[in-house]
C-alpha cells in the first residue's frame, strides 16, 4: 500500500477594501463601495472553500472505504491550501478564515511570490509539490456557483491519466477565455509561464492548450465556471445562485452558496433586464 497525497489550492488576495473586486465598485463602473466589494468577495471565498472541502471529504471517505475493503489499495489523503501574497498579509488572511469558526478541514496557508501571476502560480505549485504531493487542483475564490462535482472529477481524471502511465491536466474555463479551475500531477511536463502574463494576445485557456499539445499531455475539460469581476458577472451569478437554491430542494448533492446569497439579499441586489420589444420572426411563420 502506498501513501498518496493530493492537494487542493485556492489563490486568494486578502479581502481588504480597495484590493479586491474593484470592478464592482462605483469608481470603476460598478455600484458597491470598497468595503462592500471586500465583504462580497469574502462571502464568495467562504462558499467556494466550503464546497471544495465537502468534495474533498467525500473523496477521502471513498479512499478510506477502498482501503478498508482492500488493505493493499493506495491510501489517498486530501489537504486544503490557501495561498496569498505578499507575505505580510498572511496573518490577515488567517484571521479572515478564523472568523467562520472551525472549518471541516485543516487549512494550510502559504504565500506565493514572483514578478508575474504566472510566477506566483508556479511558485505555489512548486511549494506544494516539494512537500510530496502527487497532484494539485486549484480554483479561484470568486466562483460561488462552482459545483462540488468539478472538484471530485478533477482528481478522478488525474488519477485515471496516471493509471494510463502518463500525468495529465484538467481545466474548466471561465466566461472570458480564461480558467476557473486547473489541475495537474507532479510529473506533468507543464508550467504556467506565458499563460496569464501573455504578451502575444493568447487567452489563458488557449495558452494552456498550446502547452498540452506541445507536450502531448492528456487533458480533461469541464463545463465553464463563471467568476465574478463586474456587475454583469454578478447579475449572472445571482440568477444562477437563485436557481441552485431552488434546485437544492430536489438535488440533495448540490451545494448552495448561502453566504453569498444571503449577502446579496441583505444588500437588496436584484437582477433585471430591459423589456424585450423585439419582434419574433416566428410570428410571421405562424401566420
Amino acid at each position: 500500500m502506498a501513501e498518496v497525497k493530493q492537494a487542493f489550492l485556492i489563490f486568494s488576495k486578502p479581502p481588504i477594501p480597495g484590493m479586491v473586486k474593484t470592478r464592482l465598485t462605483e469608481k470603476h463602473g460598478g455600484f458597491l463601495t470598497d468595503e462592500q466589494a471586500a465583504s462580497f468577495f469574502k462571502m464568495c471565498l467562504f462558499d467556494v472553500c466550503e464546497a471544495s472541502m465537502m468534495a474533498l471529504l467525500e473523496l477521502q471517505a471513498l479512499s478510506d472505504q477502498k482501503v478498508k475493503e482492500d488493505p493493499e489499495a493506495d491510501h489517498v489523503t486530501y489537504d486544503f491550501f490557501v495561498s496569498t501574497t505578499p507575505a505580510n498579509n498572511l496573518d490577515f488572511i488567517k484571521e479572515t478564515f478564523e472568523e467562520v469558526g472551525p472549518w471541516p478541514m485543516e487549512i494550510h496557508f502559504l504565500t506565493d511570490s514572483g514578478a508575474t501571476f504566472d510566477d506566483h502560480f508556479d511558485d505555489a505549485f512548486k511549494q506544494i509539490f516539494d512537500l510530496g504531493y502527487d497532484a494539485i487542483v486549484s480554483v479561484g475564490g470568486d466562483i460561488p456557483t462552482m459545483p462540488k462535482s468539478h472538484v471530485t472529477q478533477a482528481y478522478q481524471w488525474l488519477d485515471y491519466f496516471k493509471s494510463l502511465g502518463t500525468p495529465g491536466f484538467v481545466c474548466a474555463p471561465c466566461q472570458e477565455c480564461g480558467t476557473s479551475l486547473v489541475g495537474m500531477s507532479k510529473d506533468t511536463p507543464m508550467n504556467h509561464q506565458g499563460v496569464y502574463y501573455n504578451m502575444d494576445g493568447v487567452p489563458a485557456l488557449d495558452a494552456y492548450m498550446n502547452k498540452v499539445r506541445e507536450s502531448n499531455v492528456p487533458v480533461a475539460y469541464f463545463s465553464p465556471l463563471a467568476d465574478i469581476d463586474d456587475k454583469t458577472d454578478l447579475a449572472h451569478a445571482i440568477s444562477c445562485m437563485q436557481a441552485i437554491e431552488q434546485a437544492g430542494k430536489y438535488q440533495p448533492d448540490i451545494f448552495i452558496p448561502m453566504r453569498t446569497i444571503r449577502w446579496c439579499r441583505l444588500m437588496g441586489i436584484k437582477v433585471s433586464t430591459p423589456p424585450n420589444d423585439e419582434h419574433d420572426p416566428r410570428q410571421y411563420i405562424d401566420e
Side-chain angles (χ1 to χ4, degrees):
M1 180 180 73
E3 297 287 336
V4 179
K5 299 198 301 181
Q6 312 271 42
F8 184 87
L9 171 64
I10 285 186
F11 287 95
S12 177
K13 296 178 182 177
I16 297 173
M19 287 187 60
V20 293
K21 297 300 148 198
T22 54
R23 281 190 274 172
L24 289 173
T25 62
E26 296 169 336
K27 65 183 72 172
H28 294 285
F31 56 92
L32 301 179
T33 65
D34 288 350
E35 290 74 17
Q36 290 167 346
S39 176
F40 169 74
F41 173 71
K42 187 161 59 173
M43 296 303 102
C44 290
L45 176 63
F46 290 162
D47 277 335
V48 173
C49 289
E50 184 179 354
S52 303
M53 287 183 181
M54 290 176 66
L56 296 179
L57 291 171
E58 290 173 5
L59 286 167
Q60 188 66 66
L62 289 173
S63 174
D64 294 345
Q65 182 62 32
K66 186 178 294 185
V67 171
K68 184 178 180 180
E69 295 171 355
D70 178 10
E72 298 302 314
D74 289 344
H75 183 226
V76 184
T77 56
Y78 299 87
D79 289 326
F80 190 94
F81 288 83
V82 173
S83 188
T84 193
T85 191
N88 59 12
N89 283 326
L90 187 58
D91 287 341
F92 183 86
I93 201 77
K94 288 181 179 179
E95 292 168 1
T96 297
F97 277 88
E98 288 171 358
E99 292 178 14
V100 174
W103 286 87
M105 294 183 69
E106 180 181 0
I107 301 175
H108 303 273
F109 295 92
L110 55 90
T111 58
D112 49 89
S113 61
T116 68
F117 193 42
D118 298 342
D119 293 340
H120 284 261
F121 245 88
D122 281 339
D123 181 50
F125 270 57
K126 183 179 186 302
Q127 289 184 57
I128 294 173
F129 282 138
D130 285 349
L131 294 173
Y133 286 86
D134 183 70
I136 299 172
V137 173
S138 177
V139 304
D142 57 353
I143 44 174
T145 57
M146 182 190 73
K148 294 185 301 176
S149 57
H150 271 50
V151 176
T152 56
Q153 290 175 19
Y155 289 105
Q156 289 166 350
W157 273 100
L158 289 175
D159 288 343
Y160 172 69
F161 292 142
K162 183 180 177 181
S163 73
L164 299 179
T166 177
F169 180 79
V170 295
C171 65
C174 68
Q175 71 275 32
E176 294 181 341
C177 306
T179 59
S180 289
L181 178 150
V182 296
M184 64 178 70
S185 297
K186 182 175 183 178
D187 298 326
T188 302
M190 289 174 54
N191 57 28
H192 306 279
Q193 293 299 309
V195 173
Y196 301 100
Y197 186 71
N198 186 290
M199 305 303 290
D200 299 319
V202 180
L205 183 62
D206 294 89
Y208 275 128
M209 292 306 101
N210 290 339
K211 287 178 178 287
V212 300
R213 278 190 292 267
E214 291 167 3
S215 300
N216 197 30
V217 172
V219 59
Y221 170 92
F222 308 124
S223 58
L225 298 172
D227 56 14
I228 302 173
D229 288 325
D230 58 31
K231 58 187 179 183
T232 301
D233 298 336
L234 178 56
H236 171 75
I238 290 174
S239 291
C240 289
M241 288 188 290
Q242 291 176 159
I244 289 171
E245 183 181 23
Q246 187 66 23
K249 300 175 182 178
Y250 311 96
Q251 291 177 274
D253 290 336
I254 201 169
F255 177 78
I256 305 172
M258 285 309 305
R259 292 181 181 86
T260 311
I261 290 172
R262 291 192 188 104
W263 188 91
C264 291
R265 287 176 179 164
L266 179 65
M267 293 295 297
I269 302 173
K270 296 183 179 180
V271 179
S272 64
T273 105
N276 183 0
D277 58 359
E278 294 183 3
H279 292 290
D280 189 335
R282 286 176 295 182
Q283 65 181 306
Y284 302 112
I285 297 175
D286 293 339
E287 292 175 358

